Amino acid sequence: MLDKNGIATRIAQEVRDGWYVNLGIGIPTLVANHIQKGMEVEFQSENGILGMGPFPIEGSEDADLINAGKQTITAMPGAVYFDSATSFAMIRGRHVQLTVLGAMEVSVNGDIANWKIPGKMVKGMGGAMDLVASADNIVVAMMHTNRAGESKLLPTCSLPLTGVGCVKRVVTNLAVLDIKDGAFHLIERAPGVSVQEIIDATAGELIAPSDVPEMTL
Amino acid sequence: MSISKVVSGVEEACSGVEDGMTLMLGGFGLCGIPENCIEQLVKLGVKDVTCISNNAGVDGFGLGKLLSGHQIHKMISSYVGENDEFERQMLSGELEVDLIPQGSLAERCRAGGAGIPAFYTPAGYGTEVAEGKEVREFNGKPHILESALTADFAFVKAWKGDAAGNLIFKATARNFNPMMAMAGKITIAEVEELVPVGDIDPNEIHTPGIFVQRIFQGKSFERRIEQRTVRPLNSPS
């Protein structure tokens, strides 16, 4: 079973040389720490930076330089700042090759819910709806089950949707799964996790070949 | 001969703001917010305003100050997470909230300033954001019709500005400020440094002064950090 850094490590393997990548808040942010050395990749943060770098050295933080999670960051050489309309033109216009974001629920037809729990405080969708509606390549990073132990991979989402039919790949603490033809397809198992454990933790239809390779991390 | 937009200070800049008006406020989180104008709106005590702003500040700072004085009737935002008073007023029904996707919010402001009444976007299709909105397919993909936003007053914060209202923003403090500057009937720019006309290279201006009606140098900027994240001195990058 993977921890959050393990999930991020596996997702980092999805990143290709020369890609622009948007990372959401939480586990997706950790992906930046696991990119293969020597790869040319630029991170976009939708509040208006391309070429986002690591957190600043203590004492050098700048209130005017933050990411979409409102955290202080740095800019890499070659970075650029822009306004929010330009930022979402990059996203909507499909100039960003990969979007990684978290989810509360994902369904067999690629629907995603990650912004609202009815009856609880609604914080808003931020840029998530724009991101999922436009990106060609969306990878969801999440735990396979919620705190109550219930599957987050469902026949249909029960929570209000963020986007429909948009998620193609999910990486969880248990597995890598692709979504196609109205089902989850088991691609890889996390180290030490059996196919049966994944079947038990997946509520939506799961297609699992007899031999499923273990992730190489 | 350039047209001077300079006003004496925040009092003159905010004159004419009245109860019930629609206001746009630039900024993302607490980054690039018009701090001086928000203070003045608190002093003026204007009520029942509709605020269009990506976020709603935090308790006691930014738009949180207007919220604690019950001055806001409605918020139009994409993310409002970090504010207990906001949550209380929203759950009790005192505050009306319209949540819209961030890219749609940015584009709706840009459209408002650019004379485009509405546009189609894929963001929000199939979600509750699409309820009541026209759906149309382009290239086999469904889109929803989103309308432009404008405001009686737009408040923006820039790093440098000149007397003609030309603005330069710093780093990610740019965010929503340029589009909101375009979409305000009266746009007020508060800047950290107000310079004479001619001091800014025309190649480097982000927002042309035509979009700005009033400009002044802010008295003070707290520039509060919402999430201070750092790494130790000797850590690898």
Side-chain angles (χ1 to χ4, degrees), chain B residues 7-29:
Chain B
V7 294
S8 55
V10 71
E11 293 85 4
E12 188 184 349
C14 294
S15 66
V17 180
E18 290 171 14
D19 293 354
M21 280 185 165
T22 296
L23 314 177
M24 280 183 183
L25 299 104
F28 186 98

Side-chain angles (χ1 to χ4, degrees), chain A residues 112-177:
Chain A
I112 175 172
N114 72 352
W115 76 282
K116 182 177 182 180
I117 302 174
K120 288 203 178 165
M121 172 57 187
V122 180
K123 294 192 168 190
M125 67 291 282
M129 284 192 183
D130 309 270
L131 282 158
V132 300
S134 299
D136 284 323
N137 199 2
I138 299 167
V139 175
V140 165
M142 66 177 194
M143 305 309 274
H144 212 98
T145 53
N146 64 21
R147 288 202 181 101
E150 298 156 343
S151 181
K152 295 167 73 171
L153 294 106
L154 304 171
T156 55
C157 293
S158 63
L159 294 169
L161 295 179
T162 307
V164 293
C166 50
V167 179
K168 302 220 175 76
R169 177 159 277 201
V170 183
V171 179
T172 75
N173 52 325
L174 302 183
V176 177
L177 308 102

Side-chain angles (χ1 to χ4, degrees), chain B residues 23 25 46-52 55-56 62-76 86 89 94-96:
Chain B
L23 314 177
L25 299 104
V46 287
K47 296 257 190 256
D48 296 323
V49 292
T50 294
C51 288
I52 304 171
N55 311 90
L63 281 178
K65 289 192 171 183
L66 286 182
L67 280 167
S68 59
H70 299 266
Q71 293 176 262
I72 302 176
H73 158 71
K74 181 179 181 180
M75 277 301 309
I76 299 176
F86 184 99
Q89 288 186 25
E94 292 163 61
L95 180 67
E96 209 179 301

Side-chain angles (χ1 to χ4, degrees), chain A residues 42-182:
Chain A
E42 282 201 32
F43 294 106
Q44 199 245 23
S45 198
E46 62 269 22
N47 60 313
I49 177 174
L50 198 56
M52 178 169 47
F55 293 151
I57 297 287
E58 203 168 351
S60 71
E61 58 272 25
D62 178 355
D64 289 332
L65 185 45
I66 63 169
N67 63 18
K70 285 109 182 173
Q71 298 171 312
T72 47
I73 51 158
T74 54
M76 300 297 282
V80 58
Y81 306 119
F82 36 82
D83 64 59
S84 301
T86 305
S87 182
F88 283 93
M90 294 174 188
I91 290 163
R92 228 186 282 104
R94 303 187 168 200
H95 306 282
V96 175
Q97 278 77 30
L98 174 66
T99 290
V100 183
L101 76 175
M104 298 193 276
E105 295 177 348
V106 172
S107 80
V108 292
N109 60 350
D111 294 353
I112 175 172
N114 72 352
W115 76 282
K116 182 177 182 180
I117 302 174
K120 288 203 178 165
M121 172 57 187
V122 180
K123 294 192 168 190
M125 67 291 282
M129 284 192 183
D130 309 270
L131 282 158
V132 300
S134 299
D136 284 323
N137 199 2
I138 299 167
V139 175
V140 165
M142 66 177 194
M143 305 309 274
H144 212 98
T145 53
N146 64 21
R147 288 202 181 101
E150 298 156 343
S151 181
K152 295 167 73 171
L153 294 106
L154 304 171
T156 55
C157 293
S158 63
L159 294 169
L161 295 179
T162 307
V164 293
C166 50
V167 179
K168 302 220 175 76
R169 177 159 277 201
V170 183
V171 179
T172 75
N173 52 325
L174 302 183
V176 177
L177 308 102
D178 279 353
I179 298 175
K180 59 180 177 193
D181 307 326

